[in-house]
Amino acid sequence: MSNLASANKHFPHMLSPIRVGKQTLRNRVIMGSMHTRLEHADRPIEREAAFYSARARGGAALIITSGYSPNEDGRLEEGAHIFNSEDVLPNHRPIVEAVHRENSKILLQILHSGRYAKHDRIVGPSTIRSPINPRAPRQLSSEEVLQTIEDFVSCAELAAKAGYDGVELMGSEGYLINQFTAPRTNNRTDEWGGSFENRIKFPLAIVRGVRERLPADFIVMYRISATDLVEGGLTGEEIVKLAQEVERAGADILNTGVGWHEARVPTIAYQVPRAAWAFAASRLKKHISIPIVASNRINMPEVAENLISDGSADLVSMARPMLADPEFVNKAAAGRANEINTCIACNQACLDYIFSDRIATCLVNPEACYELDYKKEPVSTARKLAVVGSGPAGMAFAVSAASRGHTVTMYESDAAVGGQLNLARKIPHKTEFNEMLRHFRTRMELTGVEIRLNEIANAEQLKKQGYDHVVIATGIKPRKLNIEGADHPSVLSYIDVLQNRKPVGKRVAIIGMGGIGYDIAELLNHKESGLSPLEAFYEEWGVDPTIVIPGGVKEPVEHPPARTITMFQRTPSKPGSRLGISTGWILRSQLKRWNVGMISGATYKKIDDNGLHYSVDNITKVLAVDNIVVCAGQESNNDLVEALVRLDVPHTVIGGAKLAGELDALRAVKDGTQLGYSV
C-alpha cells in the first residue's frame, strides 16, 4: 500500500495536503519552533541541518526554525541566533537545502525577545520589568520602534535570499510583538500605546512590510497569542480583531501560541490535558479565512486528526513531539502509530536544559539534537547479550542493541516490564508515562528482544548461558530511615503507597522533599471531582476558555485537601529546589493550595505512637500523624555485580544501579541508549 493510500485510511485529515498562500503543503503537520541552543554547540550548522532534515524526512510538511532575532537588542542571550546581515547567508543555506531535499518547506522564525532578553541591551515597549527576569527594559523611542519594524522586514528579506519558503513572525508567548499588544506591558502614551488600535499598530506594520516587500509565494505566518493567560492581557474579542487585521495586512496563515512565559497557568507540562487549548484556535477559525494552526499538548496523531476533522483547526503544530520522534508522521501514515515515541511532556531535557543554558535533547529520545553523535549501523558480528532489569535503562539498552542486530535477552524479576515507570505512571497527571512504556514494549517486540519475566538472574546462570556481555540495569531501592521506631506500623515507604496500595490515614508526614515526595503529596491529596480532566484543569488553574476576562484567567476554584500533610527534609535549602525548572513551580503551586506544610533543616529523632519526633534549630517537637511516608532517597540495587566480578563475567552497570539519585529516567534512558549503540 502506498503511503498516500495508507495515510487516507488512517489519518485522512491530518495527512491531506493544504494550500497556504501560493504554496501547497503535503500534509497538515508542522514541526513548531523550539529553542535548542544548538548555536552554542560544536559544528552548529551541521547539527541544525541534521536536526531539521531528520524531522522533514520523518514526514513533517513544514519546519519552523528556532527564533532568530532581527537585531542585537532582540537576542534572547549573548550568542543567540541573529539574522541581520548577508554575511551569515552561507550558514543558513545548508539548513534550507537539507530540508528541501526531504520535500518539506521551511520557515525562519523571527523573534525579538523584548523584556525577556538575558543581556544588558534589553528593550521593550515600556520600562515594565517581567517578573521572571531581573533586568528592566529600556523603553524604545518612536524612532527605534520604526527601526525595529524595518529590522523585522529586512530579516524576512534575508530569509528569502537564504532560500527559506517564508517566515513566522513571533507574536505570542510574551515576546516583543506580544508586549506591544497588551496593556500589561505597554503603558506608552504615543501612537504605539494607549488604545487597542494603537497597541496593535506594531505587529500590523511588520506584517504589511513583509508582505509588501517579499514575493507573493513567500509564506507569511503570524504566531498570535490566542490566549495570553496573564492579567492585563487581551480579551477574546480583541484577539479576534487582531487576527482579522493580521489577515488583512497580508498574513497567509495564523499559528496559535498559548500563554506567556510568566503565566501562572501551565501550558505544555504533563499536568495539562491533551488538546487543552483547542478552544483558542477554534474560536479564531470562525472569524478568519486563512488557515489556522492549533498547538500545544498535541502529542499523538489521533489528537491531531480530531482537531482538524472537528473543525478546530486546519493544521497542527508539534514541537516537542518532534524531538521525541522525528518519524512521527511517517509512522502515522504507515499505520504504525503504536511505534511512535511519544512526548510525555516532562520538560526535563528540553525546557529545563534550555533554562539552565544547556543544549536541548529529549528524555525519551536522547538522540534529539545529537543526531551526528549516534552511529546506528548494523553490527558486523552479532553478540549474545543479557540485560538484567527492565526499567528505563534496561529497555533503552535492549532496543538499541537489538536494533543493530545483537541477540538480547532481558531478565525481569517482576511480572511485568517497566521498573520504576510502573510507579511513575500511578501519579495523577503522569499517565503519559503509559505511552513511554507502550513504546518500549512495542520496540522490544519488533527488535526481537527475549523477555523472561518472574525470573531472578544470578551470576552463575548468566555465566553458564555464555553471554558475551551482561548489562546490569537493576535500578534502585528505597533508602530506609535509620532512627528509633523506623519499623513502627505507621511507617510506609513510597513503594508501599504506590505499588502495594497500602492505606494511608488523614494526617501524614512525608520525609523527603525531592520529586518522589512531591509526587506522593500530590497523589495523597488528589480527589476525583466528577468533572472531565479538561474541566477540572480549567477550574484548578483558573482558565477562562471564553476569554471574556482580559488575559483569559480568573480565580482558581479552591477545594479542601484530602489530607493534612507535612513534608520534611534534612537540608535547610528552599523546599522544592531540586524539582525541574519548568515543572517545579507547578507542583509547588498545587501543594501550596492544599496547605501542605514544609519543614526544612529537620533532624529526625524517633517515631512512636505519638507520631514523628524531630527538631529544628535544636528545638524538639512532635507531629501527631497517622502515617509517615518515607521518600528519603534511594540506593543502587547492584548486588549482582560482585558475583559477576568474581566469576569474571564481562558486564556494564547503567542507570540507577550505577548511580542512585532521584528516579532519574532521563539519565537511565541516555545510559541505556548510548551503551546499546556502542556495545
Side-chain angles (χ1 to χ4, degrees):
M1 181 181 291
S2 70
N3 275 351
L4 180 59
S6 180
N8 288 337
K9 175 183 177 182
H10 296 289
F11 303 101
H13 295 87
M14 182 185 82
L15 296 167
S16 63
I18 186 172
R19 192 77 171 167
V20 175
K22 304 294 183 181
Q23 304 262 15
T24 298
L25 304 183
R26 54 179 162 146
N27 58 54
R28 311 294 183 96
V29 179
I30 297 172
M31 177 190 144
S33 175
M34 69 188 100
H35 303 309
T36 63
R37 299 191 84 251
L38 278 173
E39 65 269 25
H40 298 281
D42 66 305
R43 297 181 289 167
I45 299 167
E46 189 179 353
R47 288 190 182 279
E48 291 196 71
F51 174 73
Y52 291 124
S53 64
R55 276 76 195 164
R57 187 164 53 254
L62 180 63
I63 305 292
I64 304 176
T65 70
S66 59
Y68 282 77
S69 178
N71 57 37
E72 289 283 348
D73 292 345
R75 282 186 172 189
L76 283 165
E77 61 183 352
E78 295 295 344
H81 278 317
I82 185 171
F83 198 5
N84 64 349
S85 168
E86 291 191 3
D87 294 343
V88 295
L89 287 174
N91 295 345
H92 289 266
R93 286 178 177 139
I95 297 169
V96 173
E97 291 166 3
V99 171
H100 284 167
R101 280 195 296 270
E102 305 298 343
N103 195 32
S104 293
K105 310 288 185 184
I106 181 168
L107 306 186
L108 178 95
Q109 186 190 74
I110 309 178
L111 182 155
H112 190 301
S113 57
R115 72 176 192 159
Y116 282 161
K118 296 189 290 185
H119 55 65
D120 294 335
R121 297 181 308 279
I122 182 170
V123 297
S126 305
T127 59
I128 304 170
R129 184 181 69 82
S130 167
I132 61 173
N133 192 346
R135 304 164 184 83
R138 176 181 61 80
Q139 179 172 306
L140 290 166
S141 68
S142 296
E143 292 76 15
E144 288 174 319
V145 172
L146 293 172
Q147 182 58 55
T148 303
I149 293 168
E150 173 60 26
D151 291 342
F152 268 91
V153 179
S154 296
C155 185
E157 290 179 316
L158 289 170
K161 290 180 180 179
Y164 288 100
D165 301 287
V167 293
E168 178 180 65
L169 303 171
M170 182 45 145
S172 70
E173 267 83 359
Y175 292 113
L176 183 71
I177 293 177
N178 207 176
Q179 292 163 25
F180 265 94
T181 64
R184 177 183 183 88
T185 42
N186 186 345
N187 61 6
R188 300 174 73 104
T189 57
D190 62 4
E191 62 177 312
W192 305 104
S195 67
F196 170 73
E197 290 72 23
N198 279 359
R199 285 184 276 112
I200 66 172
K201 281 183 178 179
F202 183 70
L204 297 181
I206 293 171
V207 175
R208 278 194 296 268
V210 174
R211 183 74 286 161
E212 290 169 1
R213 283 165 47 183
L214 275 297
D217 63 350
F218 188 79
I219 297 173
V220 179
M221 174 184 282
Y222 184 85
R223 184 161 177 174
I224 191 169
S225 184
T227 178
D228 292 324
L229 299 180
V230 290
E231 291 77 7
L234 300 187
T235 64
E237 183 180 348
E238 289 172 329
I239 295 168
V240 167
K241 288 179 181 177
L242 174 58
Q244 292 171 332
E245 290 300 321
V246 165
E247 179 180 2
R248 276 192 280 271
D252 298 304
I253 181 171
L254 204 65
N255 197 358
T256 55
V258 175
W260 292 30
H261 288 311
E262 62 204 63
R264 60 165 174 77
V265 180
T267 57
I268 59 173
Y270 61 83
Q271 290 91 344
V272 182
R274 293 180 181 182
W277 312 109
F279 71 85
S282 178
R283 65 188 311 280
L284 287 176
K285 184 168 165 52
K286 298 180 178 70
H287 299 282
I288 62 171
S289 59
I290 56 176
I292 189 160
V293 185
S295 68
N296 288 26
R297 287 297 282 128
I298 303 165
N299 66 345
M300 285 298 280
E302 58 267 24
V303 181
E305 176 71 12
N306 290 340
L307 286 170
I308 299 170
S309 64
D310 71 11
S312 294
D314 300 293
L315 305 94
V316 293
S317 173
M318 292 179 279
R320 294 172 307 155
M322 295 292 173
L323 270 181
D325 196 336
E327 290 287 322
F328 184 104
V329 180
N330 285 349
K331 289 177 180 177
R336 299 186 291 118
N338 65 314
E339 296 178 35
I340 290 174
N341 196 3
T342 307
C343 169
I344 61 174
C346 67
N347 294 348
Q348 289 183 40
C350 49
L351 291 183
D352 284 359
Y353 271 29
I354 292 299
F355 293 149
S356 57
D357 298 331
R358 289 182 284 180
I359 295 168
T361 184
C362 178
L363 183 150
V364 301
N365 177 27
E367 298 171 46
C369 295
Y370 291 89
E371 287 77 13
L372 301 181
D373 303 323
Y374 283 84
K375 307 301 181 185
K376 300 186 284 186
E377 293 83 1
V379 295
S380 56
T381 303
R383 303 177 71 190
K384 184 180 179 181
L385 307 173
V387 55
V388 183
S390 71
M395 292 189 293
F397 168 78
V399 297
S400 300
S403 68
R404 297 175 58 230
H406 291 304
T407 300
V408 181
T409 301
M410 172 178 283
Y411 292 85
E412 172 53 55
S413 61
D414 208 342
V417 299
Q420 300 292 330
L421 288 183
N422 290 316
L423 299 181
R425 63 198 186 100
K426 296 178 186 295
I427 304 299
H429 306 127
K430 282 193 173 180
T431 54
E432 293 290 11
F433 278 94
N434 290 319
E435 301 286 6
M436 185 177 177
L437 188 54
R438 180 265 309 153
H439 171 255
F440 273 129
R441 284 172 174 162
T442 301
R443 281 201 68 195
M444 287 192 292
E445 180 180 353
L446 292 173
T447 56
V449 175
E450 180 187 357
I451 302 173
R452 298 185 180 181
L453 299 176
N454 296 309
E455 189 164 340
I456 300 174
N458 61 67
E460 289 76 12
Q461 172 193 12
L462 294 170
K463 184 176 179 64
K464 184 178 179 181
Q465 291 292 329
Y467 291 110
D468 296 308
H469 202 88
V470 175
V471 176
I472 306 302
T474 42
I476 54 87
K477 52 190 175 185
R479 182 182 295 124
K480 296 180 179 180
L481 279 184
N482 185 24
I483 62 171
E484 181 185 344
D487 57 351
H488 191 272
S490 64
V491 177
L492 303 171
S493 73
Y494 64 84
I495 301 289
D496 291 327
V497 177
L498 288 173
Q499 183 171 293
N500 303 328
R501 295 295 187 184
K502 289 192 176 181
V504 181
K506 291 293 186 180
R507 301 172 302 167
V508 182
I510 296 176
I511 294 180
M513 283 196 208
I516 304 167
Y518 274 79
D519 281 347
I520 291 293
E522 182 182 7
L523 174 69
L524 293 179
N525 259 331
H526 181 74
K527 291 190 299 186
E528 294 298 331
S529 63
L531 301 173
S532 71
L534 199 55
E535 292 170 327
F537 174 77
Y538 294 156
E539 184 180 87
E540 179 182 4
W541 291 98
V543 175
D544 170 24
T546 68
I547 324 181
V548 171
I549 302 169
V553 285
K554 57 186 178 182
E555 284 298 314
V557 176
E558 301 291 347
H559 294 287
R563 290 175 171 85
T564 300
I565 297 177
T566 305
M567 299 180 71
F568 293 82
Q569 66 180 18
R570 292 184 187 274
T571 63
S573 59
K574 183 179 179 181
S577 59
R578 289 177 288 165
L579 301 175
I581 299 172
S582 61
T583 54
W585 68 271
I586 302 172
L587 293 170
R588 288 191 292 269
S589 295
Q590 288 174 313
L591 268 56
K592 184 178 180 180
R593 285 200 297 270
W594 289 326
N595 296 316
V596 172
M598 303 279 179
I599 297 177
S600 299
T603 299
Y604 313 122
K605 299 295 187 180
K606 66 177 181 178
I607 298 168
D608 58 21
D609 291 343
N610 293 318
L612 174 64
H613 298 248
Y614 68 98
S615 67
V616 176
D617 295 330
N618 295 317
I619 300 175
T620 300
K621 300 180 181 181
V622 181
L623 181 67
V625 292
D626 301 308
N627 287 106
I628 297 159
V629 182
V630 181
C631 306
Q634 295 76 230
E635 298 172 347
S636 291
N637 185 17
N638 54 16
D639 298 340
L640 187 58
V641 173
E642 184 178 341
L644 291 175
V645 171
R646 177 170 43 83
L647 294 174
D648 198 27
V649 176
H651 64 278
T652 303
V653 185
I654 61 174
K658 178 181 179 181
L659 179 64
E662 288 292 317
L663 300 185
D664 194 347
L666 170 59
R667 177 169 49 81
V669 173
K670 182 178 179 180
D671 278 1
T673 303
Q674 288 182 332
L675 182 61
Y677 285 140
S678 63
V679 69

Short mmCIF file of all heavy atoms in Angstrom, two decimals, residues 8 13 264 362 397 422 443 632:
data_model
loop_
_atom_site.label_atom_id
_atom_site.label_comp_id
_atom_site.label_asym_id
_atom_site.label_seq_id
_atom_site.Cartn_x
_atom_site.Cartn_y
_atom_site.Cartn_z
N ASN A 8 -4.58 8.07 3.86
CA ASN A 8 -6.01 8.34 3.74
C ASN A 8 -6.84 7.39 4.58
O ASN A 8 -7.92 7.72 5.05
CB ASN A 8 -6.43 8.22 2.26
CG ASN A 8 -5.91 9.38 1.44
OD1 ASN A 8 -5.64 10.44 1.98
ND2 ASN A 8 -5.77 9.18 0.14
N HIS A 13 -7.50 13.41 7.48
CA HIS A 13 -7.48 14.87 7.58
C HIS A 13 -6.07 15.38 7.86
O HIS A 13 -5.58 16.29 7.19
CB HIS A 13 -8.44 15.34 8.67
CG HIS A 13 -9.88 15.05 8.38
ND1 HIS A 13 -10.46 13.85 8.73
CD2 HIS A 13 -10.84 15.79 7.77
CE1 HIS A 13 -11.72 13.85 8.35
NE2 HIS A 13 -11.98 15.01 7.77
N ARG A 264 0.83 32.12 35.24
CA ARG A 264 0.72 31.24 36.41
C ARG A 264 -0.04 29.96 36.05
O ARG A 264 -0.34 29.13 36.92
CB ARG A 264 -0.01 31.95 37.55
CG ARG A 264 -1.42 32.40 37.21
CD ARG A 264 -2.22 32.76 38.47
NE ARG A 264 -3.52 33.31 38.18
CZ ARG A 264 -4.57 32.59 37.80
NH1 ARG A 264 -4.45 31.29 37.64
NH2 ARG A 264 -5.74 33.17 37.58
N CYS A 362 16.01 15.16 24.60
CA CYS A 362 14.69 14.62 24.97
C CYS A 362 14.87 13.41 25.87
O CYS A 362 15.71 12.54 25.59
CB CYS A 362 13.94 14.22 23.69
SG CYS A 362 12.32 13.47 24.00
N PHE A 397 18.55 0.13 26.59
CA PHE A 397 19.68 -0.65 26.10
C PHE A 397 19.21 -1.77 25.19
O PHE A 397 19.76 -1.99 24.10
CB PHE A 397 20.49 -1.26 27.25
CG PHE A 397 21.47 -2.29 26.78
CD1 PHE A 397 22.66 -1.91 26.20
CD2 PHE A 397 21.17 -3.65 26.87
CE1 PHE A 397 23.56 -2.85 25.72
CE2 PHE A 397 22.05 -4.60 26.39
CZ PHE A 397 23.26 -4.20 25.81
N ASN A 422 6.52 1.95 36.22
CA ASN A 422 5.24 1.47 36.73
C ASN A 422 4.81 2.20 37.99
O ASN A 422 3.62 2.19 38.33
CB ASN A 422 5.32 -0.04 36.99
CG ASN A 422 5.41 -0.83 35.69
OD1 ASN A 422 4.68 -0.55 34.75
ND2 ASN A 422 6.30 -1.81 35.65
N ARG A 443 8.79 -1.68 20.73
CA ARG A 443 10.10 -1.79 20.10
C ARG A 443 10.81 -3.09 20.50
O ARG A 443 11.52 -3.68 19.68
CB ARG A 443 10.97 -0.60 20.48
CG ARG A 443 10.66 0.66 19.69
CD ARG A 443 11.83 1.62 19.71
NE ARG A 443 12.98 1.12 18.97
CZ ARG A 443 14.20 1.63 19.08
NH1 ARG A 443 14.45 2.62 19.93
NH2 ARG A 443 15.20 1.14 18.36
N ALA A 632 13.00 9.26 51.30
CA ALA A 632 14.29 9.85 51.68
C ALA A 632 15.43 9.38 50.79
O ALA A 632 16.54 9.14 51.26
CB ALA A 632 14.59 9.53 53.14
#
